[in-house]
Amino acid sequence: MAKHLITGGGGFLGSHLTDALLAQGHEVTGIDNFVSSQPENIAHLKGHSGYKFVEHDLTRGIPAEIATRKFDRIWHLASPASPVGYVQHQVTTLKINSTAAMEMLELAEKCGARIFVASTSECYGDPSEHPQRETYWGHVNPIGMRSMYDEAKRFLEAATMAYHRERKVDTRIVRIFNTYGPRLKMNDGRVVVAFITQALRNEPLTVQGDGSQTRSLCYVDDEIRGFMELMESDYHLPVNIGNPDECTMLELADEIRQLIGSKSPILHTPLPPDDPKQRCPDISLAKKLLKWEPAMPRKEGLKRTIEFYRKQLAVA
Ligand code: UDP
């Protein structure tokens, strides 16, 4: 059984990954300062013998209790990841994906761990290639309202490749596309949770712009399975992990209203600057390399997510 370190361990993806690794019998240490995540994501792990949690802000350096330990696998997932979150924490977003990421790469080098870094479809920006293959270099505004995230993640990839080439660090890079499911934070503006909570409250669904922009939504269990396959593969270049099941935001709003049986009207609000018009992963590489593809149909994944937020709102 391996020793895993997960930065952003209290986050949406970090907490689901923790559950999956613990279920396989691994030891997991999570680090988080909850800047954009929430303690309730890991509350159920209190007292678990294979789990340790350190509350710490990694932009201030790696704490001694982590720096002196030896890990087999390091997952650098820590970062604000929603447009609302990274605009609210711009400098933190830049630091956690640059200086803090380089410190994690050095920790991996020191203890001989394999390190997996969380990159993003945002590396492709507002893409002119569709669907996006890993070979596409992207179309990113370097000073725009998403630049602190997009450029930080592009730097993260560059840094990871540099440590791989020059220092022979054993690295993996995932490009994550929109992922949804239980434990996504409420009120951080992400579309699936925004629409579900609005529909459950019979409030208007805020469709930004005309709603013709597309996203491709992957259920969290599929995404985590892809992460684990990639970590244990022998491939160090970036791999798209996402669901190519693309829909417009207006279609998504309609689907969620129907599944909930909500009478919420649609309210068109301004489109945020630099909002990508379309996004869809080409997952040929993941299919070939990892024998991975998503299994959860959107309707079923949305139903499960709706049930989670129905309960959350009932106790709120
Ligand atoms: N969006 C929307 N209404 C909302 C929140 C988001 O129409 O209340 C749209 C947003 O403009 C974008 C898409 O949904 O085109 C996905 O937004 P999200 O913030 O979830 O993530 P992104 O993929 O933009 O990083």
Side-chain angles (χ1 to χ4, degrees), residues 81-84 86 120-122 146 149 177-178 188-195 198 205-209 211 213-215 217 249-250 252 267 269-272 274-277 279:
S82 72
V84 168
Y86 50 73
T120 167
S121 55
E122 286 282 338
R146 288 176 179 249
Y149 187 67
F177 284 66
N178 294 65
D188 81 346
R190 278 188 174 133
V191 69
V192 173
V193 185
F195 287 171
Q198 289 162 347
L205 267 59
T206 51
V207 172
Q208 295 174 343
Q213 70 273 29
T214 70
R215 293 294 186 272
L217 302 172
M249 294 305 95
L250 209 48
L252 179 67
L267 174 70
T269 58
L271 193 65
D274 296 337
D275 193 282
K277 282 180 273 309
R279 184 183 291 151

Side-chain angles (χ1 to χ4, degrees), residues 38-69:
Q38 38 197 11
E40 53 267 39
N41 288 350
I42 48 171
H44 61 288
L45 297 174
K46 207 164 179 217
H48 191 298
S49 59
Y51 185 64
K52 189 170 177 332
F53 181 73
V54 179
E55 185 166 347
H56 179 79
D57 175 1
L58 278 170
T59 64
R60 297 181 184 280
I62 300 178
E65 60 185 300
I66 297 293
T68 50
R69 280 179 57 197

Side-chain angles (χ1 to χ4, degrees), residues 120-140 154 157 175-178 213-217 238-247 276-286 292:
T120 167
S121 55
E122 286 282 338
C123 285
Y124 302 126
D126 189 6
S128 47
E129 173 178 307
H130 193 75
Q132 294 83 52
R133 284 173 298 182
E134 289 84 350
T135 47
Y136 177 53
W137 288 1
H139 176 223
V140 170
R154 289 164 68 97
E157 291 197 6
R175 290 194 182 138
I176 305 169
F177 284 66
N178 294 65
Q213 70 273 29
T214 70
R215 293 294 186 272
S216 306
L217 302 172
V239 180
N240 290 339
I241 298 287
N243 192 328
D245 178 21
E246 186 180 5
C247 66
K277 282 180 273 309
Q278 52 184 2
R279 184 183 291 151
C280 180
D282 181 319
I283 58 163
S284 318
L285 183 63
W292 173 89

Side-chain angles (χ1 to χ4, degrees), residues 72 74 101-117 159-173 235-237:
D72 304 300
I74 297 175
M102 287 169 75
E103 288 185 21
M104 295 313 298
L105 285 156
E106 298 206 356
L107 177 64
E109 181 183 19
K110 195 175 87 181
C111 65
R114 178 175 296 172
I115 180 166
F116 174 110
V117 302
T160 304
M161 290 304 297
Y163 276 83
H164 177 84
R165 291 192 196 102
E166 195 175 303
R167 308 269 191 97
K168 313 291 173 225
V169 177
D170 190 10
T171 56
R172 302 289 178 272
I173 302 174
Y235 190 78
H236 70 278
L237 296 174

